[in-house]
Amino acid sequence: DASRLAFGLPVVEHDSCRVSTVAGAMQYVGDCLGLGGSDVISRSRALMHVVGSEAMRNEVFNSAYEKMLERKRRMATYTSGPYLKWMGHFERYLRTSAATAEAEGRAKGPFLLGAKLCYADLALYDAFTSIWDLGCYGRDEAERAQKFPYVCALVQAVATQPNMKGYGRPHADFYVAQLGELPSAPSPATVGGVFAPLARERLWEVTGGGDKGGILVRIGKDTASPAEANRLSTGALVKELELDGERLRYRRLTGTGPDTGWVSTKLKSDGKELLTRSSKQAPGPPVLPEGSWQVLYNDLPGRGEQLRLLFAFTATPFEDKRLRDHAAVDALKSAEIGDASPLAFDFVPIVRHGPYNVSTTAGAMQYAGECLGLIEDDAYARARAAMFVVASESMRNEVFYPANNAMMARKSKRRFASFDGEAYLRCLDHFELYLRSAAARAEVQGFEAGPF
């Protein structure tokens, strides 16, 4: 019980307070030092972005760094898909936040919460620079600034803060000592992967069929394939799924008619255009009425259940939006609807509340928990709540899903009487230890102990 680690490193200690997990520790220190958000939504978004930055670090940095350690040398290139995906998420968030601030007449950028730096900006600065200093991503600074201008502006703004001048780039020196000097930089043309275009570049608008109530839709690509009973309405906005000559397979975004199918972009007889490429913004889900709640999550075991429990416990009405297949989630992603996507990182769960969308389980639980009075209004309480949510999600990923997936993989889809218990016992021990030691401290100090 004398252990100072609730769940492992890193841990921050401050007087009698002790907080584990990157998200919990960053939130606590940020709040104490005046770098936290000033209201519920900004605090939750800051936490959301720290969780996102750690996910990026795990998926992008760790995989490349471990490969270099295995080879005992630096690499000029590495698989770029995850890097471009995560850079695109943060670039989109900063871009849309700046546009919203400008439209509302508020100070915009260059930071996550606007003109004022918060602790999440420092978390992102560290994640971005550690990835770039590896040398296999974003070596060409001009190309980097062209693809990700908002991300690069945030990094530059952090780097030029008064107290940052002496900090330097410690990652770069460490990599040289451990893995050697950088290899020759590849030309941009040899770097694998491309930055995903915005969804609006693949949108079409139906311009023909005005005198017939829309244009003809067929089930297959062949113009002799069966036609749908209903036409695709004139003015409808559709997303391109496949284009073969003048035959287009689409997914409908607005208007009426079949959700998907094949249409001709031009009339064969006279070449008249039936659909034209559109620069319009794909529509996102409608803004909720003021004060109303919605939870969007995968309809899978354990997904979104924490948020549903929170609303059930407080007897708060909410819309339970279960996304029952991959297509339902994909329809909300940035690849489908561009900047209108409510998903910060292209995954669920998210909680929606009036005009606000908050992603990641930790960010969403903090936002709803604060709004509904389930978190005390002080830095230590918020940080511990964040720490426990992050730890509970780690336990779910390490204990629940391996067992659940193994059961589902069996042809008989049967339950197991037992499964690997090491991870289960370790995680339960962490929580038991914390609750037991917290109860002991409360008793010594004359406070009411537990059970929470």
Side-chain angles (χ1 to χ4, degrees), residues 94 97-103 105-111 113-116 150:
L94 290 164
S97 295
T100 300
E102 186 172 16
R106 295 184 284 108
K108 63 178 183 178
F111 303 114
L113 302 182
K116 182 179 181 292
Y150 286 88

Side-chain angles (χ1 to χ4, degrees), residues 206-250:
V206 179
T207 55
D211 58 339
K212 297 179 180 178
I215 62 174
L216 189 67
V217 180
R218 294 191 181 275
I219 293 173
K221 178 165 48 175
D222 195 315
T223 53
S225 65
E228 294 280 5
N230 298 319
R231 288 176 171 257
L232 182 61
S233 64
T234 304
L237 198 64
V238 301
K239 181 183 184 297
E240 175 187 315
L241 300 180
E242 186 178 345
L243 184 64
D244 186 355
E246 293 176 358
R247 295 291 287 167
L248 170 71
R249 185 167 70 91
Y250 72 89

Side-chain angles (χ1 to χ4, degrees), residues 15 50 58 176 189 195 333 344 374 416 447:
D15 296 332
V50 172
N58 291 335
V176 170
F195 181 52
K333 291 183 177 181
L374 292 182
F416 296 157
F447 300 133

